[in-house]
Each structure stands twice: as C-alpha cells, then as structure tokens.
Amino acid sequence: MWWRSALIGGYALLASCGFAPLYGPGGPGDTLHGQVEIAEPTTENEFDFVSRVENRLGRTAAGPMRLDYTIDTRREGLAITADQETQRYNIVGEVTYQVTDTTTGAVLSTGRTNSFTSYSATGTTVATSTASRDAEARLMVILADQAVTHLLATAETFLP
C-alpha cells in the first residue's frame, strides 16, 4: 500500500503549489465555457472550425467575449509522377484569431496556429474528392483544438 501514500502525498503536493485542473471547478476551462461568442462561419471550413471550438468551449449567442478568426488554406502537390500526375496532396492551414471584450472592444488575446493534413489522389474522382474534403475537415479540427488549447492555457492572463 505504499503507492496509496505516494498518491495522496502527490495530490497534497500539487494542491499546495497552486495547481488546479484545467477543467475543474473555477479553472480556466470552466470559466471560459459558454462565455465566448464565436464569429459566424461563412464557408465549410469555417463551419468545421466553429463546430469544434463550440464543442470545446460551449455555444453562446451573446457572451462577454468574442472570438474572431481568419482561416487560410493552400494545397501542395506531392508524389508527382513522371507523367506529371499528382498522387498525393498536403493541405496546409493557418488560423489567426483574437478574443475581444464585447463591452469595451479591448483585445484580450491573440494567436496563430498552423498544421497540415494529407490525402491520396490515386482513386476515382469521387474518392479523391471525398478524401480531399475529409482532409480539410480533419485540418479544421486540428486547428480548432490548437487554438482552444492556447486560449485555455493563457486564459488566466485575460480572465477577470
């Protein structure tokens, strides 16, 4: 039973140094949940991005903070054959975002995140189109998760 003593001692040590779980009561995840109004999406990629952010931060129509974002993506050809056929693509994406106070308009936090996903273009036209759309959706989830993680990690600097 030495491990129980070590576990209890570990919890006591973490509690004494001010450590608090991110999603625990009163933590940044709990405080931000349902408080951030997100700019309406106008494209399919923006819809995927906003859906993921709302899934992590909750949905609100009029919160005390607003998240605005800009999404840029580009497609890069890889694995080009001697016949100049591209058999694989990378989709590279970048999101620039900022959180503002909706009452004062003050910028509370800004950030930028980027990543990429890939898909194969060796199948039929329908298969390639589906793989492309799936890669874009996966990229938006990755970018949204990175943005939310950054906001949660820095929330104590801009939360009241």
Side-chain angles (χ1 to χ4, degrees), residues 93-137:
E94 179 178 283
V95 174
T96 304
Y97 54 91
Q98 72 175 19
V99 176
T100 56
D101 187 318
T102 54
T103 56
T104 65
V107 176
L108 302 174
S109 180
T110 62
R112 179 183 305 166
T113 183
N114 58 57
S115 190
F116 73 95
T117 55
S118 300
Y119 68 94
S120 174
T122 57
T124 64
T125 302
V126 173
T128 300
S129 177
T130 302
S132 171
R133 180 63 206 126
D134 180 64
E136 289 180 4

Side-chain angles (χ1 to χ4, degrees), residues 19-24 26-30 56 152-153:
F19 174 78
L22 185 64
Y23 291 104
D30 185 44
R56 302 261 327 256
L152 291 173

Side-chain angles (χ1 to χ4, degrees), residues 22-144:
L22 185 64
Y23 291 104
D30 185 44
T31 306
L32 274 179
H33 191 80
Q35 301 298 308
V36 181
E37 173 187 338
I38 304 168
E40 287 187 30
T42 57
T43 66
E44 199 166 343
N45 281 343
E46 290 177 357
F47 179 82
D48 291 337
F49 177 81
V50 169
S51 294
R52 184 62 175 187
V53 172
E54 285 179 344
N55 188 23
R56 302 261 327 256
L57 293 180
R59 175 183 274 186
T60 184
M65 294 173 269
R66 178 180 169 85
L67 173 67
D68 291 299
Y69 54 86
T70 304
I71 300 173
D72 292 316
T73 60
R74 68 179 188 281
R75 198 171 312 268
E76 296 177 347
L78 306 170
I80 301 171
T81 66
D83 297 335
Q84 299 302 311
E85 288 185 37
T86 305
Q87 297 187 336
R88 188 155 190 85
Y89 289 92
N90 273 354
I91 300 177
V92 180
E94 179 178 283
V95 174
T96 304
Y97 54 91
Q98 72 175 19
V99 176
T100 56
D101 187 318
T102 54
T103 56
T104 65
V107 176
L108 302 174
S109 180
T110 62
R112 179 183 305 166
T113 183
N114 58 57
S115 190
F116 73 95
T117 55
S118 300
Y119 68 94
S120 174
T122 57
T124 64
T125 302
V126 173
T128 300
S129 177
T130 302
S132 171
R133 180 63 206 126
D134 180 64
E136 289 180 4
R138 287 184 282 121
L139 179 61
M140 293 303 115
V141 168
I142 292 169
L143 295 173

